[in-house]
Structures are given as C-alpha cells and as structure tokens.
Amino acid sequence: MQVPRYWREIPKRYRLEAAQCKKCHNISFPEKFSCPECGSQDFKTIKLSGKGKISTHTIIRIAPEGFNDQVPYGMGIIEMDEGPRIMAQITDCDPEKLKTGDRMIYQFRRIREDGSTGVIMYAYKFVPDVGI
Amino acid sequence: MTGIVGYGTKIPRYRIKVEEIAKVWGADAPTYKRGLNLNEKSVPAPDEDCATLSVNAALNALKRAEIDPADIGAVYVGSESHPYAVKPTGTIVSEAIGACPYVHTADLEFACKAGTEGMFIALNLVKSGAVPYALAIGADTSQGAPGDALEYSAAAGAAAFIMGTDNLIAELKDTHCFMTDTPDFWRREYKHYPEHGGRFTGAPAYFKHVTGAVDAILGKTNMKPDDFKYVIFHQPNGKFPVLVAKKLGFTEQQYLPGLLSPTLGNTYSGSSPMGFAATLDIAMPGELILLISYGSGAGSDAFIFETTKRIEEVRDRAPKLKTQLDEHKIYIEYGTYAKFRKKILVPN
Ligand SMILES: [Zn+2]
C-alpha cells in the first residue's frame, strides 16, 4: 500500500471512525458518499465501540505476502454492536476454535511493513473478548 | 493537587517457560528459576510492538480516566524498543487514542527507566498548568541475545498513566531522582542485542541507584519504610527487587503485590510501572505507595503516591493486570518464540 493512502485512512484504521447519517442515524463504516438507507449526504463522525461478534469467518492457511509468519489465522466479518460489519483479521487465538457469534473486541495491531526499510502500517484487528 | 487520573496495562497473551529456553541452550533451568526467581516470561505476538502495546494500554487508561482524549496535551512514550529509529512512537499513540493534533509528544529512552521518565515529565507538566492532562507510557518488547542470561527475562508489556489535577485516583506526594554515569548495560547504534556488564549490573548499578533514590526520598520527606502500604521496585529478575526490599527494611506484604517478574519477566520500561499498576488494582483509598524505577546507564526515579477514594470506582472499568498476567495464557515452544521474535533467517 502507498504511504499517502495509508495515511488518509488512519482515522478509520486506528480509531474505527465511522459516519452516522444525521437524517436516519444509519452508521456507515467505512464512510460513504451518501447514506445507503436514505441517500442523505449529511453525516457526523462517530467512534465505534470496538465491540461486536463474528458474523462469518474463515481460516487463512496460504497468506498474502507479508502475512506468512502468522498462518494459520482467522479472517472474519465482525458485526459491530452499532451495526456496521467490518472485515478484519482475528488474532491472539486458535483460529480452529472460532465460531459464529463469538464476542470480539478491537485491538490496535501491526498490519504489515513495507520491507525492512519502509513504513510500518498499523490498524484494527479483533481478538476474542475474554476480558484481558 | 497533581496525580494520576487513570491507568491501564497491556500484556501479550503468549508465554515461554524458562525450561523451554534452557533446554535449547543446554542450560540449567533450576539455576534461573531458583537463582533469579524467574519461571516464565511474556512474548509479543508477531503483530505486537512497542506502539501497539502502548496504544492498547493507553486505551485502558482512558477507560478509567473518563476524559476526552482531545484534552490530553502531552504524550510521552518511554521504551528501548521503539518501532522506528526515526519517527516517534508518540505520534502513532496520540493518533490512535484521539489526542491529535493539539498535543506535545516525545519518545524517551533510558534503558528500563524510560517509563518513569515519562511519568516524571507528565506529572510536572500538569502541575505547572501547561497542559490539562498528560499521558506517560512505559512499553517494551525487549530482546536478549539468544543464549544470553537476558534471554530468560527480556519480556513485553506496557503500562500507561494519565496525569491530571482533579478527579485523581492517586495523588503525587513527592519525587526524587538518583543518577550517575554507570556503564552497566548498553546497546550501540545498529546493533540488535544489548551488551551488559555481567555481575557489574548488581552492586554498583541496580543496588546503588535504587538504594540511593529510596534513601533520598525518605530523607527528603522524613518518612520510613513502614509508613508505606506498598512498595514497587524495578524488576530485572525476581531476585534483585526482593534483595533490595529486604535490605531497605520493606516486608513481603509491601512488595509482593507489585512483584510481577517471576511470571512476567522484565518488561524494561514497563517493569516498575506495571508493578505499580498491579498495586493500584488492589490498593484501598488513603494508602501510601512508593515506586522506584531503575534504568541502566544509570539512574532511579522515586515517587510517593497516596490513593484516593476514586480508585475503587474506576478500577473495574478496564482489565486488571493480574487478569492479563494469569488468565488466557498461550504457551509456546522455543521454535515459535524464535519465529515470533524474528530470530530465524528467512529469505525475502
Ligand atoms: Zn440516512
């Protein structure tokens, strides 16, 4: 990923910033040009709580470049308590034991680095919400 | 009044036992277990580093502080394992917690005392009125050279403290520093692993500076060891803090709640701050706590805090340190540890 794009996406990647429609209160993550529910283009920025549950998931055994040292790992769609669904890596667990409905919580993690000389990219991942 | 408004910690889930490391190097595990009071240590996941531990600890501190992160006017991250050689960890942390853009930040380094350096600066900044709140973090993902004695203790973890002047959970009573030029441990530019002075790290280094700081702050405040409910020392292993506690006249009841190294290892800049956080997890209102860090090079910072009644209201709002330390651990073998810590040469 290019540095400018990574930098532009920091608010949502670091802080789970979403857009809430001022008219119908629907929440979009990532933000959209117009509200998928009512078409309004009037939004306010909100921060998602980072809590949710697994909607669906899979186990990655053959990883893309930069993720080889982490296989096998979970990848899932996490349904946030506020509604939006977020595709994310599920870390800090045995991926074989993950199941639909498992409670998940946001963690700030390293995503990848651009070789040993490039920028280090950080973003949200999810971990089982076990109270630690 | 000046003091702590909120605190939080983060410990990776992975652990490696002393036996597992000793087995690989043909070393005698009981020597480390009995001799240095070390049983296991935390290991960061491949996607964890000083910045991620700092952020996750700071977010826990915010849960307890209940303040708007935009009101944090200063962020200091103390570590000897900053992810970049040039590019402040504090920028990543400030952005992730929502403190940008009106925030002053600096990365600090002083071996294992970089965390309390940040606490010292943050406390004095809020005391001066320069900023309403200041965040100080001690975080490390330290590495010992494979087979070196340090490999048995070098661990990962972070503690974050938000300093302010009202709604305190612990009020700062006093501070004192003790510092000299003592080359007991160092790492040169571009070198992966540190060098240390072996036995020289004991008497003229750790013990002299810790004792010097404690004697100075007790003299300055006209207090004695039994005035304190708890005491926390820097913990390079499980042996040094116990020895120095006994030498200075502190009891097991005072130092045990903050003694984490036997099952955590040495989290360097996170070490004494995490012991302090574990103590805040159990302290009752109106109790005096003495915190003494140590960083090679060498120096010690001493702090006296008195807890307030708000501590009971906020402690359950984020995970307690002992929960992070004792529950949901994932044990790994040396091979996985070597992969996680990038000790294996792989083509790229
Ligand atoms: Zn709408």
Side-chain angles (χ1 to χ4, degrees), chain A residues 21 24 35 38:
Chain A
C21 174
C24 77
C35 174
C38 75

Side-chain angles (χ1 to χ4, degrees), chain A residues 6 10-11 14-15 47 68-71 89 91-94 105-111 113 116 118-122 125 128 130-132, chain B residues 10 13-14 45-49 51-52 55-56 59-60 63 69 83-84 92 94-98 319-320 323-324 327-328 330 339-340 342:
Chain A
Y6 165 69
I10 277 178
Y14 282 21
R15 300 191 294 270
K47 218 151 130 179
N68 297 319
D69 59 341
Q70 295 170 53
V71 292
Q89 194 176 335
T91 189
D92 271 9
C93 62
D94 176 357
I105 190 162
Y106 155 100
Q107 278 268 302
F108 185 76
R109 292 296 171 103
R110 268 170 102 108
I111 301 296
E113 55 188 77
S116 62
V119 73
I120 305 167
M121 295 168 193
Y122 296 90
K125 284 190 184 181
V130 291
I132 55 169
Chain B
K10 176 66 192 178
R13 271 185 87 168
Y14 297 96
D47 58 0
E48 288 181 299
D49 64 19
T52 71
V55 169
N56 294 319
L59 290 172
N60 283 332
K63 286 177 194 161
Y84 288 94
I92 302 164
S94 300
E95 195 71 71
I97 65 167
K320 293 198 183 75
T323 311
Q324 295 176 332
E327 294 177 23
H328 306 287
I330 303 172
K339 184 178 83 167
F340 279 13
K342 302 197 166 27

